[in-house]
Structure formats: C-alpha cells, structure tokens
Amino acid sequence: MTSSALRRAIVSADDFGMSLEVNEAIEQAHRNGILSTTSLMVAGDAAEDAIRRAKTMPDLKVGLHVVAIEGKSVLDLPAITDEQGWFGRNQLRLGVEYFFCPAARHALRREIAAQFRAFAATGLTLDHANAHKHMHLHPTVGHFLIESGLEHGLQAVRSPFEPPEPVEANDTLGDRALRHWIGVLRHQIRKAGLKTNDWCFGLRWSGHMTPDHIRGLIPRLPEGTSEIYFHPATAQNSMMKRFMPGYEQESELAALLDPAVRASFDRYGVTRIGWADL
C-alpha cells in the first residue's frame, strides 16, 4: 500500500481473453481511452486473440486473472472442475472444498501454477495478478497465487477493498466480514514483499461502471492508491449473458472512452498510474 497522501488511480479491466467482444473493448479503451492495465484469463475462449492484441500495444500492462471459479481451467483436473474442465459457480461450496479437501487443495495448487506457466509462455511481462470473482480473498487461493506468482516475478496483487462512502453505500455486516478476509490477504501480500493498492472500486457497481458513476466517483476518491476496474465489452455474447446477466458492459466501455471522465482525473487532482508505480 502507498504511504503517500496523493490521490492516485490504476484504471484496469478484467477478463481479457474471455471473448472477442471483451478483447475488442479493451483494445479500444486502451488506444482511445484511459485504460492502462488489464488481466488475462489464460484459458479463456479468446486468450490467443488477447495475447496477439497485447503484443501490438506495448504500453498496455497485462497481469494474470487467476480463475478458480466460474471459468475454464488449464489442466481440467476432476477434483476441482467438471467434465468440461470448468470450475463451478458456487462460491461457498468451492471455498469449503479449498479449505478442507486435500485433493481439491492439491489440484488447485497445480492449476494455479499452470496458469502462471501459461502466462509466462505468452512472452508478456507479468504486471500484476488478481483472481476472478476476487477468489484470492480465500486464504488458500491467495497463498497459491502468491506462491506461484513469486516464481514468475510477480510484484503486485489486487486488494479488493471498496470503502462504502465514495460509492454512496452503507457499511454492512457483509462489508465488515469482507474486511477480515482482506486483512488476511494483505498480510499474505506484505509477508511476500509484494505491492498492493489501498482501495478498489468496481465491486458494488460491478457491471455498472457507467460514465455517470465514474464521473461521480472521481471527486470522491480517498487519499492513496485506488484501483478502478471495469468489465468492458463491445457486446454481450451468449456466455456473457449467462454468467453476467444485466451487466452494462457497453456502458462500461463508454466510461473508459468518455472525454469527461478523462478530464475529471485532471480536474480533481487524481494521477493515473500503473502497478509498477507503487
């Protein structure tokens, strides 16, 4: 975490490689908008297309979006995936298995290591790491992510802590429980000598990081380093409609391209940075 009183922001997008629609949006948002960072799903349906695009955009920083829930695996291990090699969608069930089932823990460790190896094989520089659906808040997932990441030069990991005030939300019991697990993750990150952000925005408005929301958020950003993450796409395909019903992904792309959003960072003294600047 940063000790600076300055307000800084990392503008990022998840799910690079999930689909062509996501890849197209990320390229547009980087070339013509404010997007500087993205996270790659190495087993995504459009991962090869994402890698090709990334290599034409040397200023786009790419990290690994570790998948341990609701997505395609690399190794298709039956202890943690179905017959098609997909992780399940039940976060509670997976969380229990990752804690208490030795076979699941062993398979998860192998799978996360394989995802880092797959990223290394792309030839891209590893900028950071996080996990799909923030599953690295689970101590087992977080531990294996950091363990494998360190073997591949990992320097920074997302802390998905969103304070309620800037997004005009109430502090709930769930928020207080989440802070416990964020504390565990941050302890793991610090112990490993890695960097992380102070704040993270995109949780409550996931799928709804629209221009209006972002223009309202920027002046309320707290001191320190905030990651503002998006799920942009040029359209929703059938898979995205199944897993992300109601997401306004085209509006999220519009926010990343909005000149008024770009101008707001300067107007309110928020410096846009990358993970390497922490």
Side-chain angles (χ1 to χ4, degrees), residues 7-218:
R7 296 196 301 162
R8 308 192 297 177
I10 300 168
V11 181
S12 68
D14 287 355
D15 300 341
F16 197 34
M18 173 183 281
S19 73
L20 290 177
E21 294 87 352
V22 172
N23 295 353
E24 290 166 356
I26 287 172
E27 180 169 2
Q28 288 182 30
H30 176 67
R31 292 190 184 278
N32 305 316
I34 59 171
L35 183 70
S36 62
T37 304
T38 189
S39 304
L40 175 67
M41 304 175 86
V42 292
D45 288 345
E48 290 302 318
D49 176 79
I51 294 162
R52 179 188 60 77
R53 291 175 192 262
K55 290 181 177 179
T56 70
M57 297 181 284
D59 292 332
L60 178 65
K61 306 304 181 184
V62 183
L64 176 62
H65 198 50
V66 169
V67 175
I69 186 173
E70 198 176 279
K72 185 72 173 66
S73 68
V74 170
L75 298 180
D76 300 354
L77 299 173
I80 51 175
T81 63
D82 64 16
E83 295 82 359
Q84 287 75 45
W86 275 71
F87 288 96
R89 301 182 67 180
N90 188 319
Q91 200 161 24
L92 177 60
R93 178 179 176 180
L94 288 173
V96 170
E97 290 177 354
Y98 293 162
F99 257 131
F100 297 110
C101 177
R105 288 201 307 273
H106 178 68
L108 180 67
R109 187 179 196 178
R110 289 178 57 198
E111 171 64 27
I112 290 176
Q115 291 185 30
F116 274 98
R117 288 196 302 271
F119 187 98
T122 69
L124 298 171
T125 299
L126 180 65
D127 182 65
H128 63 278
N130 53 50
H132 195 45
K133 304 289 185 181
H134 310 300
M135 277 296 285
H136 60 310
L137 283 171
H138 189 294
T140 306
V141 180
H143 173 73
F144 292 152
L145 181 152
I146 291 170
E147 177 185 68
S148 290
L150 288 173
E151 295 177 0
H152 293 277
L154 181 64
Q155 297 293 317
V157 176
R158 171 189 289 166
S159 290
F161 175 43
E162 184 177 70
E165 294 84 0
V167 292
E168 300 179 320
N170 295 320
D171 192 27
T172 67
L173 181 61
D175 291 325
R176 291 190 285 275
L178 183 63
R179 282 198 290 272
H180 168 75
W181 296 114
I182 290 168
V184 172
L185 174 63
R186 284 181 167 169
H187 173 74
Q188 291 176 315
I189 292 169
R190 287 193 298 268
K191 186 177 179 180
L194 301 176
K195 302 173 184 178
T196 194
N197 51 303
D198 297 294
W199 319 105
C200 186
F201 295 95
L203 282 81
R204 284 176 175 82
W205 294 340
S206 184
H208 308 286
M209 297 287 277
T210 61
D212 286 345
H213 273 151
I214 304 308
R215 287 194 296 266
L217 171 65
I218 292 169

